[in-house]
Amino acid sequence: MRRIGVPGETAPPLEGHLRLGDPPGAPDAITVNSRHLSRGGMPWFPITGEFHYGRYPAAEWREELLKVRAGGVTVVSTYVFWNLHEERRGVFDWSGDRDLRRFVRTCTDLELDVVVRIGPWGHGESRNGGFPDWVLEAGCVPRTDDPRYLGLVRPLFEQIGGQLSGLTREHGGPVVAVQVENELYDQPGHLVTLKRMAREAGIDAPLWTATGWGHARLPADELIPLFGGYSEAAWDTAHDGWPRQSRAHYFFGPGRDDDSIGADLRTTEVTGSDESHLARYPFATCELGGGMYTSYHRRPIVEAADIAALGLVKLGSGSVWQGYYMYHGASQKIGALSTLQESHATGYPNDCPVVSYDFQAPLGEYGQFRESFRHLRRQHLWLASDGPGLATMTLVMPQDAPDDPADRDTLRWCVRSDGRSGFLFVNNHQPVETLPAHEDVQFAVELDGRELVVPREPVTVPSGAHFVWPLARPVGGATLLTATAQPMGVVDAGVHVFFQTAGIPVELVFDAATVTGVEGPATVSRDGDRLVLTDLTPGTGCLLRIRDASGGRAAVLVLDAARALSAAAGRLWGARRLVLSERPVVIEDDRLVVYGEGSSDVRVFPAPAGAPRTDGVFALLPAVAAAEVPGMPGVPEVKVEEVRQAGPAREPVIDPASGRASAPADADFEQAAVYRVTVPAEAFAGKDEVLLRLDWTGDVGRAYVGGRLVADQFWYGPAWEIGLRRFRDEVLEHGIEVRLLPLRADAPVFVSPQVRPAAYPGGSVLELRSVTLVPVPRTMLTQEES
C-alpha cells in the first residue's frame, strides 16, 4: 500500500504583491496571486498553444485556429519576429502572412486569447534569434539598456503597438499577456526597460511574462517566470542516447526549472538550484514540448505518449498554466536578403532546415492532425471542467518519492489537493528507457479526515501508463470519493465523462450519504459509508444516472480508452456535446467538420432530436467524404520521373565552432538525385488540402516549384509530407522537383534507433520507395443533416 497524507489546510497564497493584472473593477478582470490566475473573480486555468502567424499562410489562419481551438487550447501564443517585419532598416512589412493585426482579430473572432511574444530577441530557431542582420551591424550592444540599441527597438515596439491598437484588454481585445525578450538570464533591469517601452508604445496586457529557465534573474514581481520541458533536445550533441535533463520531466516534484533549454546559446554558467523565490509566482509554462524540431546533427522522433506523459507530470507537479511549444508546426520564410533559419553560418551551434519547422507538433506544418493532438485533447477536455479547481490545489508528494532521475524502479505518483478534494496522478512512462510494470498497487490517501483507498483491490500499473484519478470529486450533488477512471469533462445534462485507464477495471466509489439512487449498467453494493459501483463495461452505453441526497440528478459516462482518444467536445446544435470520431473533427459555426477520407460514422452525445440510429447513448451520424461517394473519382496518381541519379555521398563537414555536423549547402545538391513529380489537375478539384507524401530514406531532401525552394526535410524516419494547396497554381504550371541526398553510414548525426537503416550499400543509403497523394477532404455536418 502506497500512502500519503494531505494537509487539512494550506497557507493562503500571497496577494497584491505582483505588479500585474487588470485594473480593479474591470469587466472579466484577470488577476494573479502567488498560486494561480483568476478571471472574473474565479480561478482560471489557461491552455496555451504556440502558432507562428508569420510562418503560415494568412489565407489558412482561420481554419488552423479552429483546429487549435478544437484541441482544447484556449490561448494562442505567437512570436513577433523582427526580421520578418523590418528586414531592411526603416522598411516595415505587416502585409499578407505578416499581418499581426489580422491574426489577432481572427483569434478574437474565434474567442481565443492571445499571448504576444514581442522580443525584440525571440529565437524560435530564427536567424539571429529574430534580429535583422542590420541590428548586429549597428554598433550597439543588443539585449541591454545601451541607448543606441533602445533607439532601434523603439520604432519596432511602436509598430507593434499600432498593430495591436484597439485589441488590448483595455479595449475588450484578446491580448491577455505579453512576453518581453526570451532566455535573457542576467539583465533584469533591461526587462523592466522593455516592459516600460512596450507600454509607452501602446502594447499592454494584464499579464507580463519572461522565460525563467536556466535560473534567469528576473526583476522581482514585474514578470511571471514561465518554464518549459522537452522530451528530447535537438540542440543536444549527436550522442547515442537520451538527453540527461529530459529525464527530470517525467518525475513529479516541485521543481520548475530546466537549465538545459537554451544551454547551447547561454554564455553564463548556471549555478545553484534554489527556487525559493519562485514561491511568489504561480507555476506557469510556455514551452512544454509539443514535439521537437530536427537539427542536422540530431533528429529524434518524439512519440505522442512522450508528450502526453510530460504534460500530465507538469499538471501533477503544480502547473496552473499549460503552454505548448510548438502546438502547430510552421514553415520558415525565406527573406529578401537571406534565409531566416538558425544555422552554423550565423554563429549558432545547430543547422536547421531552411524551410521546415514542423516540430512534430500536434498539428503539423501543413495542418496535419497528429496522434499527440488526440492525447493532449483528452487532457484538455478534463481541464475545461476541472482546471479552475485544480489551479487552487497544491502538490503533496509521498515520502518514498524517487529523488534520482536515474531511478527506473520506484513508481512515480503524487496528489494535488485543496484539503477537501483532489486528484491522484500516476506516471509510469518515459521515452527511450522503458519503465517496468508495477504489481499489487494500491494508494491510501488521508484526505479531509478519512482514508480513501484506491483501487479497493490491488492492481498492476502497466509499463507506459500515465493517468489521473479523482479524489472526493463532486458529481452534481453527490461526492465521488474515488474512481479508477480518468475524468474528461462535463457535457450538457450534467453528464460527467470518464475513461478507463491502463486496462484497470473501473470502479466508482461514492459517499453513500450523498447518493439515494443509481440506475445503469453496474453492480451496486454498500460498503459501510460508501456506495461501490463495479462490473462496468466502458463504452458508448456505459451511462449511470445518479440521484443525490437533495433530489438532484447527474450522470456518469465511462468510455473505453480508445473511444476517449477519439473524443472532441464543444458547443454544437444548441448544447455542449461530446463527439466521437475516428477522423479528426472541428466544431465551426454550429456545424461539425470531419477531416480526411473515409465513411465512418460520427457519434454524438447528447443525441440530437430525431437521430435515426444510435450506438448506446450516442447518435450515429453518417459522414461520408466526397471521395467515398459512388461515382466520384478516386485519388489521382502522380507521375514520377527520375531525372538524375545521386552522385557520391557528401563527406561530413564539421562546424569548427560547435564541433557538430553541418547541413549540406546549396552547392551540394548538384550531386543530389533529382525527380520530377507531376500532379494532375484533378487533385485540386476542391479547396481542401492535398498532401504529397514521400516515403524515402536518405540524408536531406529539398522540394522546388518553378526553381523556388518550398520545402525540405532532414530525414529522420517518418514519411515527408508537403502540403500542396498553397502552391496549387505553381505546381500545376511547373510540377515539383525533388532533390535527395544519400546518408553516409559514418555520418555524425543522431537518428532514433528504431528507424535507422539496416544497411548502407557501398557506404551510404538513398531510397525513394513511393510518392503518393493524400487528399484531406472536409465533410460538413449541419443540424439539419443530423
Side-chain angles (χ1 to χ4, degrees), residues 453 456-457 481 507-513 524-533:
V453 176
R456 296 172 70 247
E457 299 294 334
L481 294 176
E507 64 175 34
L508 308 176
V509 179
F510 284 88
D511 181 343
V524 182
S525 60
R526 183 86 179 237
D527 184 5
D529 62 352
R530 301 176 191 196
L531 202 65
V532 182
L533 281 60

Side-chain angles (χ1 to χ4, degrees), residues 7-89:
E9 293 185 5
T10 57
L14 295 175
E15 302 268 4
H17 61 295
L18 300 176
R19 290 181 277 279
L20 301 165
D22 281 321
D28 190 35
I30 292 174
T31 57
V32 57
N33 60 38
S34 66
R35 188 167 299 155
H36 62 84
L37 308 169
S38 293
R39 191 165 187 169
M42 301 296 292
W44 175 46
F45 198 119
I47 301 170
T48 301
E50 189 88 9
F51 178 25
H52 296 158
Y53 68 96
R55 291 170 164 174
Y56 213 86
E60 300 175 23
W61 285 345
R62 189 177 190 278
E63 179 182 348
E64 299 310 305
L65 288 169
L66 282 165
K67 294 178 186 177
V68 169
R69 189 180 72 177
V73 168
T74 60
V75 185
V76 174
S77 176
T78 194
Y79 272 126
V80 181
F81 290 113
W82 193 351
N83 57 14
L84 281 181
H85 297 290
E86 195 185 5
E87 192 174 6
R88 291 184 172 91
R89 185 171 181 178

Side-chain angles (χ1 to χ4, degrees), residues 14 17-18 33-35 220-221 256 276-282:
L14 295 175
H17 61 295
L18 300 176
N33 60 38
S34 66
R35 188 167 299 155
D221 301 337
R256 306 183 190 183
S276 59
H277 63 291
L278 298 179
R280 300 179 67 80
Y281 310 95

